[in-house]
Structure formats: C-alpha cells, structure tokens
Amino acid sequence: NVDSTSAILKPSRKYDSNTFSAWCVRMRLFAALLQALTLCGGHPIRDTSSPKSSTMPLDKWAPLRKQLDGWQFTNNFAVNVGDETGPLFSYSHGNLTVHTPVLTFSTSKWPMAMMVLGLVADGTIASLDDRVNKYLKWWSNSTDELKSRITVRQLLSFTSGFGGGSAGSEELTNTCMDNTSLPLAHDYMACAQHLYETTNLTGLPGLAFSYNSFHLQFAGAVAVAASGLNIQQVLNKYFYAPCKHHRVRTMLRARMRRPFRTWPPPTTFL
C-alpha cells in the first residue's frame, strides 16, 4: 500500500517545551563540535583529557568541553572524536568512559552500514547505486515489480520501501531476525530470502523512509553474495578487524530475555 508512505513520514508524537529545550541543547553541542573541528584547521589538536584533568595550553576543544560540562540530561556518558589517524578528543563524565561496555541496540545500525561501505571501497560491491538483484539471484529483476528497482544505497539509507515495525517496537515482531527459536534464525541467507518473500513494500523505493531492521538484513545478504564469504567472515574482514574489535558481546533477540553471549553474534544486523 503505497498510500501508507505518508504515515511513515508523519511525526509520531507532539513535541512539548521540554523536548524542544533538549533539542536546542543538542544543537548547541553539535555547533560546538563543528567549531572545535573548524579551529583545528586541518592540524588536529589531540586531547584525551577528562573533566578532572588539566587542559592543553591551546585548547581548541574548549567550546565542546564547555557544552559537555553543562549537559544536564545524562549523568554517565562519554564522547570520542577521531579520524583515520586516531583519537582527537575524548571526554568522560560520571561512571562511564569510552571503554565501558554498554548495550548499543540500534546504534549498531551505523557501524553495520559502514561495514557494507567497506565492500564498496574495495570494489567487491561495484557501486552503491547497483540494484540488489545484481547480487542476489532470488531478488526480482522484473521491471513490473517495484522491488527490482531497489539499490544498495536505498538499503543503507532505509529508503528501500520495505516497511513493517517502527522505532522501539522491533521486538514485537516474530520473524527469523527476532525469534531465535525459528529454524531460519540460524541461517543468515535463508532468513534474508524468507523476509524478502514475505515482506511487502509500504512505500516507493527511494522516496519512503522507514525505520526497521529489514534494510540491513538485505544489505548483509548483498555483502555475503558479492564477497563469496559467509556472514561471520564478512564481519571479521570488514568490521571486527578494521575496527580492532577483539571482544564483541551480543544479546540474543528472542524477546530480549536471553543473557549476553560472546562473538559470534546472531544472524541479524539489528
């Protein structure tokens, strides 16, 4: 039902004055970060200080640190800024540091998308604008079907048109991504194909944004098919090794009642 696209884009709640104030604070933090990066002028000043440590003589990160010092909405948090050369700025507050293990939940979507970009960077996936059916033989290539138009870029930007589920309610569904008691939950590619065959589009590819886990499950399937590796090997080569993740812990997604387990993770990108 393409008409439901408007429902995807419609705000789900009204914003009161408190929410607006929190948004303003976030914008000030973002502005301070941009100012700090601009002042660096291509020659970054490395700062690994915490609120209790002394500042550098020329502290170009002071605007950002000032905003973080005044943050009132979270007691325990850490901020780390870096580039390909390493850390540029590190800040910790309360009982949390950049090395404290935490549950990231959907925060994992961003690094998983970055992982897929690694396959584009080395040419394994030729282009972000390649259609998915170039890599997955079970993906429709019929010009009469909207799914055939979906590109890798649209999967990574959550604009493929696949709907179902909404932010914060993914655990209420019962698919091979969510319920580890289902046989397909332990076969990544079979799970992806099953989701493709049983999930309808709720918007036009490239025009409808929908926040759910289907997009990255399919992007992972593209990575597997393009590389000839299995999903664990893809994760090792394009995520764990480059990011120097020596220890990874995940939570099984069967209603979020199972305890943590160590790597390898379950067959979903969250």
Side-chain angles (χ1 to χ4, degrees):
N1 181 7
V2 176
D3 292 337
S4 64
T5 304
S6 59
I8 298 173
L9 302 177
K10 184 178 179 181
S12 60
R13 61 177 179 175
K14 295 181 179 179
Y15 293 91
D16 55 24
S17 58
N18 291 332
T19 304
F20 180 74
S21 297
W23 179 84
C24 289
V25 172
R26 293 188 182 98
M27 291 301 99
R28 289 198 296 271
L29 282 172
F30 181 66
L33 175 58
L34 287 181
Q35 181 181 355
L37 292 173
T38 302
L39 288 172
C40 288
H43 301 283
I45 299 296
R46 300 191 178 278
D47 182 353
T48 57
S49 63
S50 68
K52 298 179 180 179
S53 63
S54 60
T55 58
M56 300 178 65
L58 183 60
D59 188 2
K60 295 182 178 181
W61 293 95
L64 177 58
R65 183 181 293 101
K66 181 179 179 180
Q67 293 293 331
L68 294 172
D69 285 340
W71 181 257
Q72 301 177 7
F73 299 95
T74 312
N75 291 325
N76 303 310
F77 63 93
V79 176
N80 201 39
V81 181
D83 60 16
E84 70 279 3
T85 66
L88 303 179
F89 172 84
S90 184
Y91 178 102
S92 60
H93 187 280
N95 297 321
L96 190 141
T97 73
V98 293
H99 302 292
T100 304
V102 294
L103 283 172
T104 57
F105 292 96
S106 281
T107 306
S108 64
K109 287 181 170 63
W110 186 3
M112 289 301 99
M114 291 173 62
M115 182 194 77
V116 176
L117 290 178
L119 283 88
V120 178
D122 70 7
T124 301
I125 296 175
S127 170
L128 285 174
D129 295 311
D130 281 349
R131 293 190 174 186
V132 177
N133 56 26
K134 176 180 177 179
Y135 301 97
L136 298 176
K137 61 182 180 180
W138 38 263
W139 199 281
S140 174
N141 58 12
S142 172
T143 56
D144 297 328
E145 190 171 357
L146 287 176
K147 288 182 179 180
S148 68
R149 306 178 187 177
I150 296 173
T151 66
V152 177
R153 184 186 302 275
Q154 291 164 355
L155 291 178
L156 297 185
S157 61
F158 288 21
T159 59
S160 67
F162 281 99
S166 59
S169 65
E170 293 99 326
E171 303 307 325
L172 301 180
T173 60
N174 186 32
T175 71
C176 52
M177 290 190 297
D178 310 295
N179 190 343
T180 57
S181 66
L182 298 176
L184 290 177
H186 304 281
D187 186 329
Y188 189 91
M189 295 299 280
C191 176
Q193 182 174 354
H194 175 74
L195 292 171
Y196 169 78
E197 294 171 348
T198 57
T199 306
N200 296 322
L201 296 185
T202 59
L204 294 174
L207 298 178
F209 175 85
S210 182
Y211 184 88
N212 59 65
S213 298
F214 296 113
H215 313 277
L216 288 180
Q217 189 80 7
F218 299 139
V222 170
V224 169
S227 66
L229 305 173
N230 63 43
I231 190 61
Q232 296 302 332
Q233 292 169 331
V234 170
L235 286 164
N236 286 341
K237 181 175 180 179
Y238 292 97
F239 181 58
Y240 295 140
C243 295
K244 298 180 180 179
H245 279 290
H246 303 295
R247 183 179 182 185
V248 179
R249 306 179 75 190
T250 65
M251 179 175 280
L252 296 175
R253 301 191 68 204
R255 299 296 178 264
M256 302 304 289
R257 293 176 183 172
R258 301 278 184 91
F260 281 113
R261 73 174 183 183
T262 55
W263 178 91
T267 57
T268 178
F269 277 174
L270 300 182

